[in-house]
Amino acid sequence: MRLSQYYLPTLKEDPKEAEIASHRLMLRAGMIKQTSSGIYVWLPLGLRVLKKIEEIVRKEQNASGAHEILMPTIQSADLWKESGRYDAYGKEMLRISDRADREMLYGPTNEEMITDIFRSHIKSYKSLPQNLYHIQWKFRDEIRPRFGVMRGREFLMKDNYSFDLTKADAVHSYQKMYLAYLRTFAAMGIQAIPMKADTGPIGGDMSHEFIVLAETGESDVFVDKAWMDADLTGDGIDYNNRAKLDNFYQALTSMYAATDEKHDPDNAPDNLIHTRGIEVGHIFNFGTKYSEAMNAKVQDQNGDMVTVEMGSYGIGVSRLVGAIIEANHDDDGIKWPEAVAPFSVGIINLKPSDRDCTEACNDLYTKLEKAGLEVLLDDTEDRGGTKFANMDLIGIPWQVVIGPKGLEQGTVELKKRATGEKKEVTLDSILEMLSGEAK
RNA sequence: CGGAGUGUGGCGCAGCCUGGUAGCGCACUUGCAUGGGGUGCAAGGGGUCGUAGGUUCAAAUCCUAUCACUCCGACCA
């Protein structure tokens, strides 16, 4: 992408409404624009990141055996009346009526709808287990939206729902998601620790919140130092290998990790790390709460009707954009992990009026794009300083700085945003280096 | 919902107390110079002062209503 032709409205000054780093940086980097309280437009740069995160989530869900569907944002109130939550949900639910005065709502979650989808076609134990997910916009009319996309009213969420015949099978489904979540967050370049969570009004005995460690996070967390060295991706474990998966789960859940509400100093280990974090995922098993209320049953081997065991699992996709920034930024701007970066390489043309310099930039740009890299070429007339500041702000992992002085020597500067490390390299070697490192 | 604030060009703000026909910085346009970490000089463009009423010869400024947004608190993926 050529910056001169892109829509990237970066800001030099901090917008006054943004209090925390990720919100401030997303506005300054031209990723989002607020249209109403807690509702945002995703501008080109922001959307690129959102899509990357979404794709990482999707990939691991598929790997775990879940099937993607897409449920509508607008739901009929009928299903919610059936589960009893239409009255229970309160003002957080955005209620609307259609032209025939039917009661509708903008979905805050999908347990009712998915249960209806399940029961309408699945009638036999032979069809179990099932795990369906979708990545869709939700709306919760928060009392007080804040922190930009981290706590918006409209948000993109991956939610899935498992259906099993027995409690033991449901445990397996739960553990699969536990692992899938760990792998998903690791693939994004962030560290998310599963912490025992309150199951709240939904109930059930198994529930974990996945919390990204970030010093600027919103809640206090206490974790065993052992988490830092633990294998969090279950290297080599197949989702269908129950024994191995269970061992992995037992090993991890035996390590201490708690938010301040759940923190118990008396039972905490000595080597405790006290830091802050942001919840980016939540998994729980809630047994038969919805299947019971909505009559989701299958026949077992004996022909008896059995109410299915359910679990639900959420990842805050849009929230992750903010969370990743909270965990990866400095005073100059964002430092994207490569897996979610909007572009992997930025090229800075220090002197657009210099023909050779511009030619070298265009040439490298074309080559890198051909090699499959996503490249942002700053071909504007701005000064070098402006370009450096902008590139740091939007956090492109690799920056190639090309100017007449270096070109005389046949070199360009390669800068790694995450560390600030710079080195002079030859123009010829850069393609190879970047294809290897930034791919 | 309780408490506290803010709405003036794209962004950040001054002006309001003490009414007199709107200003500053950044950004933008043009020209010249410049070109290795937010460049200098010069000339420009852009504003229903959130909205609606009212007071007044005259309202960004005073009064009333209303809308939006932000922050603190209870609540949350």
Side-chain angles (χ1 to χ4, degrees):
Chain A
M1 185 64 58
R2 287 173 178 276
L3 185 57
S4 63
Q5 293 161 23
Y6 204 36
Y7 186 85
L8 183 66
T10 56
L11 302 171
K12 196 168 170 179
E13 289 169 278
D14 287 333
K16 63 174 174 180
E17 73 266 25
E19 287 295 304
I20 63 165
S22 62
H23 188 195
R24 202 169 60 232
L25 290 170
M26 285 180 78
L27 289 166
R28 282 193 55 205
M31 295 175 65
I32 53 168
K33 171 179 164 56
Q34 177 168 315
T35 62
S36 289
S37 179
I39 303 179
Y40 296 85
V41 176
W42 290 80
L43 300 175
L45 195 79
L47 186 61
R48 275 180 169 259
V49 177
L50 189 67
K51 291 284 181 192
K52 295 228 162 156
I53 291 171
E54 186 181 330
E55 201 47 45
I56 290 170
V57 171
R58 174 175 289 119
K59 205 175 148 203
E60 200 56 42
Q61 287 296 305
N62 291 341
S64 78
H67 305 299
E68 183 169 14
I69 62 175
L70 184 58
M71 292 179 266
T73 54
I74 305 290
Q75 305 183 22
S76 159
D78 293 350
L79 287 172
W80 289 75
K81 287 178 178 168
E82 196 179 335
S83 74
R85 282 211 292 182
Y86 194 61
D87 296 325
Y89 219 91
K91 286 195 166 182
E92 266 203 351
M93 179 185 281
L94 180 65
R95 295 153 204 264
I96 48 190
S97 48
D98 69 7
R99 66 198 300 162
D101 238 16
R102 281 180 286 251
E103 294 173 274
M104 313 290 281
L105 57 99
Y106 196 120
T109 180
N110 289 64
E111 278 85 2
E112 284 78 359
M113 187 174 284
I114 197 83
T115 305
D116 182 55
I117 291 165
F118 175 87
R119 71 181 175 185
S120 60
H121 294 296
I122 303 293
K123 304 292 181 190
S124 161
Y125 75 97
K126 292 176 187 170
S127 303
L128 296 182
Q130 283 289 340
N131 193 329
L132 300 171
Y133 76 97
H134 78 336
I135 299 174
Q136 178 64 291
W137 292 91
K138 308 280 192 293
F139 193 93
R140 290 183 194 171
D141 202 354
E142 295 283 346
I143 296 170
R144 184 171 165 224
R146 63 183 110 179
F147 306 143
V149 299
M150 296 239 290
R151 179 84 182 283
R153 291 195 292 173
E154 189 181 48
F155 56 98
L156 187 61
M157 181 177 173
K158 184 285 301 176
D159 46 322
N160 59 328
Y161 306 88
S162 63
F163 303 87
D164 288 283
L165 186 66
T166 66
K167 280 192 171 16
D169 289 349
V171 168
H172 181 220
S173 290
Y174 182 86
Q175 292 180 347
K176 279 205 263 189
M177 280 304 119
Y178 184 92
L179 176 57
Y181 275 35
L182 287 169
R183 287 179 174 169
T184 298
F185 297 126
M188 290 173 194
I190 52 176
Q191 186 166 33
I193 309 281
M195 310 199 184
K196 246 202 167 359
D198 204 347
T199 51
I202 294 177
D205 50 358
M206 270 188 292
S207 179
H208 286 91
E209 287 178 356
F210 287 75
I211 297 188
V212 172
L213 302 185
E215 282 171 21
T216 52
E218 51 191 350
S219 48
D220 276 294
V221 298
F222 301 84
V223 299
D224 189 325
K225 208 169 189 172
W227 279 102
M228 304 303 134
D229 307 316
D231 162 27
L232 293 186
T233 59
D235 202 19
I237 296 175
D238 187 289
Y239 281 110
N240 293 315
N241 188 329
R242 288 198 184 205
K244 275 194 178 173
L245 181 51
D246 188 56
N247 281 344
F248 173 76
Y249 177 81
Q250 298 303 340
L252 286 193
T253 50
S254 67
M255 285 190 286
Y256 192 87
T259 57
D260 56 353
E261 301 95 43
K262 292 232 142 194
H263 182 47
D264 177 8
D266 297 334
N267 288 312
D270 297 333
N271 56 344
L272 207 59
I273 296 174
H274 177 198
T275 180
R276 302 182 70 82
I278 302 156
E279 183 184 351
V280 292
H282 198 160
I283 60 179
F284 48 99
N285 175 300
F286 47 67
T288 58
K289 179 179 162 95
Y290 296 97
S291 46
E292 182 79 53
M294 297 180 67
N295 201 31
K297 294 178 178 172
V298 298
Q299 279 190 299
D300 68 8
Q301 295 91 322
N302 306 317
D304 296 329
M305 299 304 287
V306 176
T307 303
V308 297
E309 297 284 328
M310 292 177 61
S312 81
Y313 318 86
I315 290 180
V317 175
S318 49
R319 161 177 279 200
L320 267 164
V321 180
I324 291 171
I325 294 173
E326 289 298 327
N328 297 281
H329 72 275
D330 60 19
D331 290 344
D332 295 328
I334 303 166
K335 302 194 285 190
W336 290 116
E338 295 188 34
V340 301
F343 294 94
S344 53
V345 184
I347 300 174
I348 289 178
N349 183 348
L350 279 179
K351 193 170 181 184
S353 60
D354 183 298
R355 258 183 84 176
D356 292 341
C357 186
T358 296
E359 205 170 290
C361 288
N362 287 339
D363 196 47
L364 180 64
Y365 173 68
T366 308
K367 278 184 186 157
L368 292 175
E369 289 254 294
K370 270 194 183 146
L373 295 170
E374 292 172 296
V375 187
L376 182 64
L377 168 62
D378 190 341
D379 58 344
T380 64
E381 297 293 328
D382 288 327
R383 307 279 300 195
T386 303
K387 295 182 177 184
F388 292 128
N390 246 310
M391 211 53 100
D392 283 348
L393 173 63
I394 65 176
I396 308 303
W398 295 96
Q399 299 170 15
V400 182
V401 183
I402 302 182
K405 287 180 191 168
L407 283 180
E408 281 175 27
Q409 262 60 250
T411 63
V412 297
E413 181 188 285
L414 179 64
K415 174 177 166 182
K416 185 173 187 177
R417 177 64 178 94
T419 59
E421 180 190 347
K422 302 173 201 168
K423 53 185 169 188
E424 295 292 318
V425 299
T426 64
L427 192 52
D428 298 332
S429 66
I430 204 119
L431 176 63
E432 202 180 335
M433 296 181 66
L434 288 177
S435 315
E437 290 196 82
K439 195 69 190 289

